[in-house]
Amino acid sequence: MALQALHGFIYLKRPEGPPSAQSCPSTRLTHADPPERPRGLNYPRREDIGRLLILWLESVDGRRSPRSLKNGRFHPDILAQLGGHQRLIQAGGGKQAGAVASKIKTLHIQKTTTPTVRFCASAVIGGRVRAIAGTTKLVRLPKKEGSPRPTQKQWRVETLQII
């Protein structure tokens, strides 16, 4: 049986070992090493973002007062959008008698060298699995009156979207 060659395909050829970097110029690294993480920029811990998402989900479910989100860890636009998310969940039949509380299934954080970090999560909201996308940013939160702690930088949730 003759070997018929089609452009771009080779049939019935024995496998070869991996090409060496000297023999094949296309395998050489042509780009620079990835940028190193700047000193002093630490990423938020998964537990911290997860805790903030749980607070937000409890407010969307109506199990927590929206005033509890006014602690500076959430951008004011998120508080303004909370009512719309609650109506969306209720319209989908999410708030029923005996409905199970929303919970996070997965959480992924994108590592970056900027002070804004993106994350995505999947959560059970109103009995359906939904995707949540958002960003968090390292900001300086003002000191509360009477608080002994100094003004410090903390991670604040900037955007949240149910997809």
Side-chain angles (χ1 to χ4, degrees):
M1 176 171 165
L3 182 70
Q4 295 181 343
L6 295 176
H7 182 67
F9 296 97
I10 299 175
Y11 294 101
L12 302 174
K13 185 175 179 183
R14 291 184 183 258
E16 297 175 358
S20 65
Q22 291 80 16
S23 66
C24 184
S26 64
T27 60
R28 291 189 197 126
L29 291 178
T30 57
H31 56 76
D33 291 334
E36 291 186 19
R37 188 170 114 183
R39 293 185 189 271
L41 182 63
N42 52 356
Y43 300 113
R45 296 183 322 177
R46 291 186 74 226
E47 296 82 23
D48 294 338
I49 291 182
R51 197 172 303 118
L52 291 172
L53 281 176
I54 289 171
L55 288 174
W56 181 74
L57 285 172
E58 288 174 352
S59 294
V60 169
D61 283 347
R63 298 176 186 273
R64 178 180 291 273
S65 169
R67 280 180 274 156
S68 64
L69 301 182
K70 292 185 179 184
N71 60 4
R73 301 292 304 268
F74 293 89
H75 194 276
D77 290 344
I78 292 175
L79 301 175
Q81 296 171 354
L82 190 60
H85 289 304
Q86 289 173 336
R87 284 189 295 278
L88 174 74
I89 299 304
Q90 289 174 0
K95 192 167 184 177
Q96 301 168 351
V100 178
S102 298
K103 64 179 180 177
I104 298 172
K105 294 179 67 101
T106 62
L107 175 62
H108 304 280
I109 299 172
Q110 179 184 5
K111 306 265 189 222
T112 181
T113 58
T114 64
T116 301
V117 176
R118 289 185 243 167
F119 62 88
C120 63
S122 63
V124 177
I125 303 173
R128 293 179 57 193
V129 177
R130 303 276 184 117
I132 299 172
T135 60
T136 183
K137 188 174 186 177
L138 191 61
V139 297
R140 188 173 302 278
L141 295 178
K143 177 181 167 181
K144 295 180 183 177
E145 283 189 40
S147 175
R149 72 175 175 92
T151 301
Q152 59 184 346
K153 286 190 170 188
Q154 290 185 350
W155 292 99
R156 179 173 80 172
V157 178
E158 295 290 315
T159 60
L160 276 173
Q161 184 66 41
I162 298 176
I163 301 172

